[in-house]
């Protein structure tokens, strides 16, 4: 059984009372079981929790007073094995579930409409199914350079397609846009996973709708997605930003510690009982 | 009482079986009462109806065979008077309902993130509340030319801001983007309303969240929004397109007939009874 | 010997006096010899001729009064054979002539700076020289669809790279941008050449600087560039537009008749003597 | 008489032999007289000087070997008083000199074509002449924030128009684009001038063609343009970059020292004689 332990710390300087929406807790999601979790906000203040019943995304809203705000999330999560990615067919548009259709549409950072012809030209003739999505990811591996700091946070899939560099969010946005342009519903997934090389950071991957289910892909291949603690899913980064601040604030620190362990079922059981 | 009668006809040539998602029926919405309605599809075929429980938007999905497809929607709708737009304050972000937050975020055609500084520079110092939204609309009236055919269907708010011309969808997208950039939630509304001058067409307006409610604005001032039969609301045009087709299809005809009448309560009661 | 005969007719409706800059005459260029030419403007009016001594581009400026303006250019041009495109090496930047450097820079419609990484990723590892430029053109042949009417006149290389469709100007702009991004100077060439299929139109190709000379390429492969009557060269379309109008004018007609003939040297000599 | 003394130092680390084009010397220009100047390159190496006879821009090209390259330019320049900016009319397009027409065209960083309607809408109804250019600059003073570091070096006029922030180059590009959109030729000017507040940096302003001459404007109002040592003029930044490097190089240091002095004619004469 895969257990991932997360400790994330965000620290801000607040110039005057600011409203925050944090999205840093493990999602309500059938793919994992939260064994323990703890959210610590300093200074202590009233917060409002809410979750989106469609996605299972969880949010914390608060009004931070002038001064220093720190928010720490600790969780220990048991992650279910991912299904095998073999022989997964695409689903004809006419069979897509109604609630999945929204993930076919272009969004702010995934302009599948603009990239429609490029996607068709590059991947339209390939065998359909999971191997087509894999072909998109393989192409990104060779064509797009993983280059932290190259783009700012406003870079969209179309720009990544031209600029050929980015971080995990950019790779995922481009993968999503290309899938949607091929009539494969796709959505962004953000979460915690250990990178092979530091520094640790929030990670973004994406899911494509294949064989009547969401199947996750990491086009950066920087981490083991079977150990990813899912925080949220959305149309693109704007649905699942880790923090959205309204007001004059400055991020002072972002520190993530992520431990991954494989444990026997027995141990899990005990932990579970204790939590 | 305001009664609006709609007859809309779409006709397509289908080169080979194509999937359609139509979004042309009056929404499930407390602002109106559908007195009668009829959806006629030729040739007769199996369709799937679904609606989005959040927005009340209704959709019809179908697989059209090769040949001619025509879809006609007839409805007679009693429209409730709109609330007065006086003294409506903005709502501080920290008091926005959770489910309204999504309408603060940039979307494909409303890049409020890119337009953030422009919105602040142009409207940031104005008195807040409904008069600020009105100021945005007044500015659009002078700065943006209503010019059918100038933009294609892929024009976004940012492009309209630069190009200074467009149709109702473009005006609405820009109004939405500017509102969101000022932390006023806003969303697109599409529907049927009679234009002063023909030809009739689908219309797009927008709603801003003021005084804890959605308040509708028509920045083009081309029609009487108190007579608008609402078809749907969404983040932008991609959530509420009247028709989305997957396949090789060609629109042959789009004909709208819209009649608006003011009727006494008595008459309404009879019509209602008969429907 | 190759002889190409051109008759081009442009006709405008002028709402009120408008200034025009026409660029429709065969360039002053060592690659061809103008055997005969005639410029006819109706109504008769004062015109100003000028030419750019760097490029040899010729321009006609005039103030057209309200009414109908027609401008007809007739020319018979003997075109020198193009040099063979074999074994042409690229030129190291440090050896580029000073006056060629300008064609390394990005221009309005050839954003070689934005496409820099894409060009390097796609063509950076290929053998250098003419075969690299040929590889760019071969790629465009498969990746970009020749699709008149898809783009408007404001489409730039970066947009063509994303949208994957366009006309000869778009192909040429993209070829130029990719060459410049690889440190190969490149420039636009416009002129008259017979298309295999009507309608005839102005054509755009491009030149790359190889082996210390300008070498011409037609990435659309729609015409025989060895029969092209060169009208002008420039950084991009804005330097060589066939007509630039200042004022309220409307193009009524654009008709090109182009005849290509191979003639014996003897015949040429006679024609030349008679002109 | 105005005397400005410049000492500029650029220092690079060169990973492997790289080609440089420097553009840091006072232009050949009738608006100033170079009293003394000295270009020092370390290590000593062969350089190639060339100048553009149209613009008077001077360039130095060199192949820098692996290691550290430093280039220092020292100059003492007597600057002629600028003409008064009173009652300068615009020039009808039909009267523009042929060689000035190029500055009406959109360029890479000044998309006057895209901004055409916006310029007309905002400034089209104003009284023409120098006061219209002044109105553009006044508008930029209130609408665009001077914000070093906000944009990267690839920001164009259209983006500045949307983003509403930038440095002197961005202000100048936007001013140029708006002028051209109003049929006023405009071009970029770069040079040395003392900023009121450190750090000193290269400065960009622009010239508009008014009353049959180039008239200079500084939309940032950060410096006294009558003390500017002109280095070059061009369509936009790509014509006048201070340094263009081909190869793997890193800027280590950029240090400018600029002294401005008003001197009596007598003193000048002596200095001149001594130089």
């Amino acid at each position: 059984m895969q257990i991932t332990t997360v400790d994330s710390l965000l620290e801000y300087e607040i110039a005057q009372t600011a409203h925050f929406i944090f999205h840093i807790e493990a999602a309500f999601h059938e793919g994992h079981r939260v064994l323990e979790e703890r959210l610590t906000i300093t200074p202590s203040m009233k917060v409002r929790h809410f979750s989106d019943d469609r996605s299972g995304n969880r949010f914390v809203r608060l009004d931070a007073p002038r001064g220093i705000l720190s928010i720490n999330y600790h969780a220990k999560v048991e992650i279910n094995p991912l299904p095998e990615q073999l022989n997964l067919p695409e689903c004809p548009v006419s069979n897509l579930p109604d609630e999945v259709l929204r993930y076919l549409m272009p969004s702010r950072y995934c302009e599948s409409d603009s990239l429609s012809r490029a996607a068709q030209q590059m991947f339209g003739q390939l065998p359909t199914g999971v191997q087509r999505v894999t072909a998109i990811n393989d192409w990104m591996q060779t064509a797009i350079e993983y280059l932290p700091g190259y783009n700012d946070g406003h870079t969209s899939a179309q720009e990544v397609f031209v600029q050929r560099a980015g971080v995990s969010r950019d790779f995922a946005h481009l993968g999503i846009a290309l899938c949607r342009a091929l009539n494969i519903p796709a959505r962004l997934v953000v979460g915690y996973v250990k990178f092979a090389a530091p520094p640790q950071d929030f990670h973004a991957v994406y899911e494509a709708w294949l064989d009547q289910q969401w199947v996750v892909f990491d086009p950066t291949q920087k981490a083991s997605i079977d150990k990813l603690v899912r925080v949220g899913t959305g149309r693109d980064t704007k649905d699942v930003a880790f923090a959205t601040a309204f007001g004059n604030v400055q991020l002072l620190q972002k520190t993530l510690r992520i431990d991954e362990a494989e444990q026997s079922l027995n141990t899990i059981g005990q932990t579970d009982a204790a939590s």
Side-chain angles (χ1 to χ4, degrees), chain A:
Chain A
M1 267 295 150
Q2 179 59 45
I3 305 283
T4 298
T5 309
V6 172
D7 267 282
S8 80
L9 174 68
L10 297 170
E11 198 176 88
Y12 293 87
E13 179 164 4
I14 318 288
Q16 61 189 97
T17 305
H19 188 68
F20 275 89
I21 306 170
F22 288 106
H23 173 57
I24 55 176
E25 299 165 290
F28 295 141
H29 189 260
E30 73 281 6
H32 62 221
R33 200 157 49 113
V34 176
L35 305 181
E36 53 180 66
E37 69 174 352
R38 191 175 55 242
L39 187 72
T40 314
I41 295 165
T42 311
S44 162
M45 66 186 72
K46 210 180 66 173
V47 304
R48 182 155 91 227
H49 294 268
F50 79 98
S51 64
D52 180 77
D53 54 1
R54 281 184 178 167
S55 60
N57 296 351
R58 297 159 70 194
F59 299 89
V60 176
R61 297 175 62 179
L62 55 84
D63 291 303
R66 181 183 156 82
I68 303 294
L69 168 74
S70 85
I71 181 163
N72 169 244
Y73 177 65
H74 164 83
K76 187 169 183 179
V77 181
E78 177 194 325
I79 298 164
N80 298 346
L82 294 174
E84 296 249 328
Q85 295 190 356
L86 299 170
N87 301 321
L88 304 176
E90 293 178 20
C91 178
V93 173
S94 73
N95 292 345
L96 290 175
D98 301 331
E99 67 275 12
V100 167
L101 288 176
R102 81 187 62 236
Y103 298 108
L104 270 187
M105 301 301 162
S107 59
R108 173 66 182 88
Y109 289 92
C110 303
E111 307 101 324
S112 46
D113 41 359
S114 303
L115 287 163
S116 168
R117 296 183 66 91
Q120 288 292 343
Q121 187 268 317
M122 296 169 73
F123 305 104
Q125 304 312 314
L126 296 188
T128 63
V130 68
Q131 62 264 52
R132 182 143 77 157
V133 180
T134 302
I136 290 173
N137 294 334
D138 289 347
W139 172 76
M140 282 198 279
Q141 274 286 318
T142 64
I144 313 293
E145 190 175 350
Y146 186 85
L147 203 54
Y150 185 77
N151 295 326
D152 63 21
H154 290 315
T155 305
S156 70
Q158 181 177 321
E159 292 167 324
V160 176
F161 182 74
V162 171
Q163 296 171 4
R164 304 277 159 137
V167 293
S168 67
R169 184 189 54 233
D170 300 309
F171 279 73
H173 281 159
L174 181 52
I176 291 166
L178 293 171
C179 282
R180 290 180 189 167
L182 297 165
N183 292 338
I184 305 170
R187 64 183 191 182
L188 191 68
V189 178
V190 293
Y192 300 106
V193 68
K194 190 168 191 167
F195 292 167
Q200 300 304 317
D201 204 344
F202 299 107
H203 195 47
V205 297
Y206 76 101
E207 287 180 322
W209 182 262
L210 294 167
D211 200 23
Q212 300 294 1
Q213 62 188 308
W214 288 112
V215 181
V216 67
F217 298 90
D218 181 356
T220 66
Q221 300 184 11
K222 290 287 175 217
S224 304
I225 45 174
D226 55 346
K227 299 172 184 172
L228 178 87
V229 175
R230 175 184 300 247
V231 170
T233 53
R235 291 209 203 172
D236 64 27
T237 190
K238 281 299 164 181
D239 283 343
V240 293
F242 284 94
T244 306
F246 299 87
N248 188 349
V249 309
Q250 199 190 341
L251 181 64
L252 299 178
Q253 190 191 160
K254 177 179 65 173
T255 307
L256 271 68
R257 208 180 61 216
I258 297 165
D259 291 311
E260 299 171 346
E262 206 130 346
Q263 297 194 6
S264 74
L265 273 177
N266 192 36
T267 315
I268 299 279
Q270 292 176 348
T271 307
D272 195 19
S275 73

